[in-house]
Amino acid sequence: MRVSVMKGKNLMAKDANGYSDPYCMLGILLGQSPRETEEKKERKFSFRKRKEKLEKRSSTKEVLAATCIQVTEVKPETLNPVWNEHFVFDIDDVHSDLLHMDIWDHDDDVSVAEACKKLNEVSGLRGMGRYFKQIAKSVRSNGTSSSGSSEDNADDFLGCINIPLNMLLLLCDLILLAKCQVVNEYFSLRDAKMMALTGYHNWFKTSIHKWLQIVHDKACDRIRRAVDMDQLEPVQQARHSSSAVDVTACFSQVREFWKQLSWPDSAGAFIFVTRLTDVSATATATHTHTSLCIALNNTEHVRVFLGHLPRDLDWQGVEQAMEESCGAEGKEQVNKALNGQLYNVDADLQREAKRLITHLTDKMLSELKRYLQHISLSPDSINNDDAVSPLMKYLRDTLVILSESLVKENLARVLLGMWELLLRMILDTVAENMGVQVEFYNRFQYTVEALVQFFCADGKGLAIEDLKNHVDYKALDEELRLNKCSSFELIEQYFLEKISQQRTLKHTRFGRVSVKCYYDASEQRLTVEILHAADLIALDANGLSDPFVIVELCPHHLFPMAKSQRTQVKLKTLHPVFDELFYFHVSPEQYRHRFACLTFTVMDYDWLSTNDFAGEALAPLSDFCWPGRPNASAAGKTIQPTILHLARNKPKKPIMRILDARTGDGEAQEFVRKLKEIEKSMEEE
C-alpha cells in the first residue's frame, strides 16, 4: 500500500521561537480482535503515552517487519510543514491492521531518519508503541537505543492518528489529523487495476452504506471546522471564504472517488447515487456563515456546485440504465428521487440567501430612516437635490462596499433587496403624512425618480423594467400620484374607475336594471326612463325586498344644480316594474368629460331603520349625449333599452383614505360620508 504524506497546517508551537520542527513517523499496527477494538475505541491512543501492550499474537506476528516504521524529513521552524513524501508498506490483513501516524517536534540536529533506520534493524521488540518510543529516545542519544534516557529528553509530541487499513480504501482524502486543523492526505491502492475488478465491487458493496455514513459525518465535521477557520480566499476571480472552498473540495473528493470506482452496474448504482446526492445536500446544511456578505457568496458558491451534480454523477446514464431494466417507471423513479433531493436543497439555499439579504438590508434600516426623515422634514425653501443628496451619498458609499464584497449575482440580489426596502419605507412615510401640502408628495416623487436612476446605473445595474414593474413601485407611484391630486380630481378618478368596472360586468348575482336614456341637444335635456329591475337580492326577513332606485348625475361638483331623483317603492318583490321618467339639464361642457355619468342606486326601503344598499350601476353620459349617437336624435325614444348589471363593490380604499384625511375640505368629507354609509350598510347585512 502506498501512503502519501502531503502537508500539515496550524500545528502546535513547541519551541521558544513560536514554531516547531515537525516530522512525521508512520507504521503498521497489527490487527486487534473485535473485543479489543470495542474495549479501546473510546481510548485516546498515542505511541508516546500508551501504557498497555498488545496481546500476544501468533509467532508469525510477534516480530515486526523491518520496513514497518518510516519517517519524513524534519521541517525546521514552521507550523505548516509541506512534506510531499511517499511511503510503501506491505500489509498482511487489510481488514484488521492499522496505519498509525505520529507528529513530533524535533529539537536536535541528529537525523531522525537515521535513528529510525537503526531501530528498524533491531529484532525482538514487540509493539509499535515501543518502536516509536525508542526512536524518540535514540534521537537524543545520537542514534543509540538506550533505555536509560529520561522522558524529558524525548521530542515533543504534536499529535497522532490511528486509521484502519480497510477504511483507507473507503475514505481516501477525507481523513483529518487529530489536534491539527487540516492535513491533506492522499491514499491510493498499489494496484490501481483493483478499482475495476468485479470482485472488489462486490466486496465494497457490503460496506458502501457504512462508507456513505462516514462520508456524511466527516464532511459535516470538516465543514464545521472550516467555518471556524473561515477567511477570505479568491476562487476563480470571485470572492468566497475558505470554508466555501473547503465544502466544495470535500464533495469533490467524494465525487472523484465515486468516478474512480467505475461502478459496473449503472442500474444498481441508482441507490448509491441517490444516497450520495442526499449526503451532499444534508451536509451542506451545516455550512454556516461568519459575515453576511461572505455567507451570501458561500451560499451561492455551494448552490452552483450542487447544481452540477446531475452531470458529475452521470444522472443521465443512471436514468437510461433504469429505463432499460425497469422501463418508464424506473426512469420516473430516478427523476423523482434525484431531482426531488436537488430541488429541495436548492430551494433551501435560495431561502437562506433571501434570509441573508433581508438581514443585510435590515442593517441599513436606521440609516435609511434617518435620511428619509431628512427628506420629509426639509422645508420647501430647500431644493429637491439638496434634500435628497444625503440619501444618495449613503447609497453610493454602501454600493462601493457591496461591490467589493459580493459576487455579481449576489450584488444584483442585494440591490434589489435595497430597492424593495426603500419602496416600503417611502410608502410608510407617505401613509404617515396624509393630507399635507402637495409639495411633500412632489419631493418624494423626485426621490423615487432619483432612486430609479441610481439602481439602474445607466443600464449597468438593475433593469429599469424590473424596477418599475415591482408591485411596491406601482403602489407607491399610484399613492404619490393620487396624493398630488386635488379633491375634485380624486373624485373624478373614482368615477372613471367605476365606469371602467361597469363596462366589464357581464352578469352578477345582484341583479340588473333596464333603462332608456336619450338627449335633446336643442333643449340640453337628458331624459332617463327607468323601466324595471330583475333578480335583485333579498334584504328582508321574508326573503324579498322593497326596492326603489335613486338616479343622479355625478360627480356633484360638475353638476352643482342637479338634484338626485328616485322612483317609487315597490313592495315585496325582487323583480320590480317602475316605468318612470326623469329629466336632467346637461350642457355640452358637462357631458364632454369622460367621468361625467349617471348613477343608478338600488335601495331596499325599511320603515323603522335606514335603507339597505342593494346595488348600483353607472352609465357614462358620452354613451347618450354625444352628437351622432342614436340617443341624441329624435329617434332616441324608439331605441332599445340598456341593461345595466348591478354591483356591490366596497369603495376603493386609497382614494377614500386620501379624501378622508383632508378634514378641512367639505366636498371631500361629504363624498367620503356617502361612501361610508354604503360600506356600513353592506357590513350590517
Side-chain angles (χ1 to χ4, degrees), residues 497-525:
E497 293 177 2
K498 296 287 285 186
I499 292 171
S500 177
Q501 293 171 5
Q502 185 71 50
R503 293 188 186 281
T504 63
L505 287 178
K506 301 301 180 182
H507 176 76
T508 71
R509 64 185 185 89
F510 306 111
R512 57 197 177 276
V513 61
S514 178
V515 302
K516 278 187 178 182
C517 301
Y518 40 91
Y519 182 68
D520 186 343
S522 61
E523 297 186 12
Q524 296 186 355
R525 184 180 66 186

Side-chain angles (χ1 to χ4, degrees), residues 440-457:
F440 174 88
Y441 307 106
N442 284 330
R443 177 155 290 174
F444 271 102
Q445 185 71 56
Y446 180 88
T447 302
V448 172
E449 292 171 358
L451 290 173
V452 168
Q453 296 301 317
F454 170 80
F455 285 104
C456 182

Side-chain angles (χ1 to χ4, degrees), residues 16 60 78 109 111 132 163 175 252 290 299 317 364 371 377 392 394-395 417 463 476 509 541 570 638 643 677:
T60 59
T78 180
D109 294 331
S111 170
F132 281 94
I163 311 171
I175 306 302
S252 296
T290 55
T299 302
M364 307 177 191
Y371 293 122
L377 299 178
M392 303 311 297
Y394 169 78
L395 292 176
L476 178 58
R509 64 185 185 89
K570 302 299 179 178
T638 63
I643 305 298
E677 287 179 356

Side-chain angles (χ1 to χ4, degrees), residues 208-453:
I208 192 167
H209 293 290
K210 185 175 182 180
W211 173 73
L212 287 167
Q213 186 60 45
I214 293 172
V215 168
H216 176 271
D217 296 343
K218 292 292 183 181
C220 290
D221 181 65
R222 180 170 177 176
I223 290 169
R224 283 190 289 267
R225 286 198 272 179
V227 171
D228 290 339
M229 299 163 37
D230 221 355
Q231 56 186 347
L232 285 175
E233 185 169 319
V235 181
Q236 297 178 351
Q237 299 181 346
R239 289 171 286 275
H240 309 287
S241 71
S242 57
S243 66
V245 179
D246 224 357
V247 170
T248 54
C250 178
F251 293 141
S252 296
Q253 293 170 343
V254 178
R255 178 191 63 196
E256 291 305 314
F257 178 68
W258 180 256
K259 287 182 178 179
Q260 291 177 18
L261 279 176
S262 300
W263 203 266
D265 178 16
S266 296
F270 166 61
I271 185 64
F272 306 137
V273 172
T274 302
R275 181 78 171 111
L276 273 175
T277 304
D278 181 63
V279 165
S280 301
T282 54
T284 299
T286 65
H287 185 226
T288 57
H289 58 274
T290 55
S291 69
L292 291 175
C293 287
I294 293 176
L296 193 55
N297 289 341
N298 291 347
T299 302
E300 176 65 11
H301 182 65
V302 174
R303 190 185 72 83
V304 171
F305 178 86
L306 290 178
H308 295 154
L309 282 180
R311 178 197 64 198
D312 297 337
L313 298 180
D314 190 23
W315 285 13
Q316 186 176 4
V318 175
E319 288 180 1
Q320 292 175 352
M322 289 293 289
E323 186 176 20
E324 293 172 359
S325 60
C326 305
E329 292 183 359
K331 183 177 181 180
E332 182 66 19
Q333 183 184 6
V334 173
N335 277 325
K336 286 183 178 180
L338 299 182
N339 288 317
Q341 292 177 14
L342 205 58
Y343 174 82
N344 289 336
V345 71
D346 186 77
D348 289 341
L349 288 172
Q350 293 204 49
R351 279 193 294 269
E352 175 65 8
K354 187 175 181 180
R355 185 191 67 82
L356 291 170
I357 291 172
T358 301
H359 194 178
L360 181 62
T361 54
D362 283 350
K363 287 184 173 295
M364 307 177 191
L365 271 172
S366 59
E367 290 296 313
L368 292 176
K369 186 175 182 179
R370 182 161 63 91
Y371 293 122
L372 290 177
Q373 189 177 38
H374 171 77
I375 297 173
S376 176
L377 299 178
S378 295
D380 296 340
S381 58
I382 297 179
N383 61 47
N384 289 334
D385 281 335
D386 292 339
V388 176
S389 61
L391 171 63
M392 303 311 297
K393 182 181 184 303
Y394 169 78
L395 292 176
R396 286 192 295 270
D397 294 343
T398 302
L399 179 60
V400 171
I401 298 173
L402 294 176
S403 299
E404 294 174 350
S405 305
L406 292 171
V407 296
K408 183 178 179 180
E409 295 80 2
N410 286 334
L411 178 60
R413 293 171 183 165
V414 172
L415 289 177
L416 183 59
M418 292 170 62
W419 172 242
E420 292 172 344
L421 177 62
L422 281 164
L423 290 175
R424 292 194 300 270
M425 294 181 72
I426 296 175
L427 268 171
D428 292 341
T429 302
V430 172
E432 293 168 358
N433 293 272
M434 303 296 295
V436 297
Q437 296 295 322
V438 69
E439 287 77 10
F440 174 88
Y441 307 106
N442 284 330
R443 177 155 290 174
F444 271 102
Q445 185 71 56
Y446 180 88
T447 302
V448 172
E449 292 171 358
L451 290 173
V452 168
Q453 296 301 317

Side-chain angles (χ1 to χ4, degrees), residues 622-637:
S622 58
D623 288 355
F624 316 120
C625 302
W626 278 91
R629 296 292 176 90
N631 309 65
S633 65
K637 295 181 181 182

Side-chain angles (χ1 to χ4, degrees), residues 487-497 555 557-558 595:
S487 296
F488 287 168
E489 290 172 334
L490 288 175
I491 295 171
E492 293 164 2
Q493 177 70 28
Y494 173 85
F495 283 106
L496 277 175
E497 293 177 2
H557 65 265
L558 183 61
F595 50 82

